[in-house]
Amino acid sequence: MVREAIGVGETEVLAQEDACRQLGVETYEAEFEIIQRAEKKILGLFGGCPAKVRAFIKATPAQAAEDFVKNVLKAMGLENIAIEVKEKEDGGVEINLEGEEVGSVIGRRGETLDALQYLTSLVANHVDNAYFKVTINTGDYREKREKTLEILGRKLAFKAVKTGYKTSLEPMNPYERRIIHTAVQKVNGAISWSEGENLNRHVVIGPDPKAPRRNNRNQRGGRGYDRRPRRTYDEVATEATAQRAPINEGEGAALYGRIDK
């Protein structure tokens, strides 16, 4: 993708500086094409015209991503947030945001940050019409979020094994659902699957119908009995099989998966 601007000035040098100022780059970062040379006025009164120069730079996906994030933050009135861009060896880019106002960028449970990352990925992928992975983080927020989801998945998995009941979680994106699925897989006797469509798609964690049943005993060591109505094995297995999606849903994908699908 090529970014360009037309600069005007009394001299060609001033016109180049004007064009680069519009692009937000230094003169050594751009290439130039002279559209109109400067002409002095005759006797200082007649004719004459300023110089016009076209400055252009070939934007990379990483540069396009950085520019988009800067423009969005500026539109949100968050101009005091520092942006650090790190290009990865795999061809992607990681953009880290730092500042006192990053809370506004994160949003509720990271929803604003996820949306910004998704839109930035769209912009970056349009540069060369090829998949380009963009990750936007602030501090170690995503690492903390991932740890929280892992703990939640394991906790609800153990609960499902103990009680025999299933639990539905709130809607999540494919990346976060995969974290939950992976955590549940580590707990014997529990399974997870996804239900719902589009933005309402969420994870359900329940007991594995194929796992051996546990014998319920009261705290005094007596046999006791479960007063809840029991469902047959076939009923539980049929329900889980009918509603369950692949456990490794979204495996290997970035947040929201590939944007070209």
Side-chain angles (χ1 to χ4, degrees):
M1 183 177 72
V2 177
R3 297 172 54 214
E4 63 178 44
I6 304 297
V8 180
E10 294 182 1
T11 65
E12 294 174 11
V13 173
L14 293 177
Q16 291 177 357
E17 293 176 351
D18 179 50
C20 289
R21 189 162 44 250
Q22 297 177 48
L23 293 174
V25 299
E26 300 294 333
T27 53
Y28 63 83
E29 298 178 275
E31 298 181 49
F32 302 98
E33 175 187 352
I34 298 177
I35 299 176
Q36 175 178 285
R37 294 188 179 278
E39 295 182 3
K40 295 183 179 180
K41 294 183 179 180
I42 300 176
L43 301 178
L45 298 173
F46 307 104
C49 62
K52 289 186 179 181
V53 175
R54 170 179 172 262
F56 58 94
I57 57 175
K58 296 180 180 179
T60 64
Q63 183 62 54
E66 180 181 359
D67 291 344
F68 179 77
V69 172
K70 287 181 178 179
N71 291 333
V72 171
L73 295 180
K74 183 178 180 180
M76 294 175 65
L78 305 175
E79 300 185 29
N80 294 324
I81 294 181
I83 301 177
E84 180 184 0
V85 180
K86 180 180 179 181
E87 296 193 38
K88 298 183 176 181
E89 295 181 358
D90 60 2
V93 66
E94 180 178 348
I95 300 177
N96 194 59
L97 308 178
E98 294 290 346
E100 297 180 357
E101 301 174 306
V102 292
S104 300
V105 183
I106 295 174
R108 178 177 176 272
R109 295 196 177 115
E111 292 177 351
T112 304
L113 188 66
D114 290 346
L116 177 60
Q117 177 172 297
Y118 177 66
L119 294 175
T120 305
S121 296
L122 289 176
V123 172
N125 276 254
H126 276 298
V127 174
D128 295 329
N129 292 322
Y131 179 65
F132 185 81
K133 182 179 179 180
V134 176
T135 302
I136 299 181
N137 200 358
T138 170
D140 56 354
Y141 170 78
R142 293 205 180 279
E143 290 76 8
K144 290 180 179 178
R145 175 65 172 166
E146 182 173 339
K147 189 64 177 179
T148 298
L149 292 175
E150 289 177 352
I151 295 174
L152 176 63
R154 289 177 59 84
K155 178 181 178 180
L156 294 179
F158 282 117
K159 179 180 177 182
V161 174
K162 181 178 180 181
T163 65
Y165 287 109
K166 65 181 182 180
T167 303
S168 297
L169 280 67
E170 64 184 13
M172 297 179 183
N173 58 61
Y175 175 75
E176 295 189 339
R177 293 201 303 270
R178 179 171 62 85
I179 295 175
I180 295 291
H181 288 314
T182 302
V184 174
Q185 282 182 310
K186 298 177 182 178
V187 178
N188 293 329
I191 59 172
S192 62
W193 63 94
S194 293
E195 296 180 355
E197 301 293 336
N198 301 323
L199 296 179
N200 293 321
R201 194 156 180 79
H202 59 278
V203 175
V204 181
I205 300 174
D208 187 350
K210 298 181 180 180
R213 290 180 178 276
R214 297 178 59 183
N215 294 324
N216 295 318
R217 296 180 179 273
N218 57 30
Q219 295 180 349
R220 296 180 180 179
R223 284 201 164 190
Y225 61 93
D226 191 349
R227 299 182 180 181
R228 297 170 306 195
R230 286 282 187 179
R231 293 186 298 170
T232 66
Y233 174 87
D234 290 337
E235 289 176 342
V236 177
T238 300
E239 177 183 350
T241 303
Q243 297 179 341
R244 182 179 178 185
I247 290 181
N248 64 342
E249 173 185 5
E251 183 175 1
L255 183 61
Y256 294 106
R258 289 179 64 102
I259 58 89
D260 55 347
K261 291 186 178 179

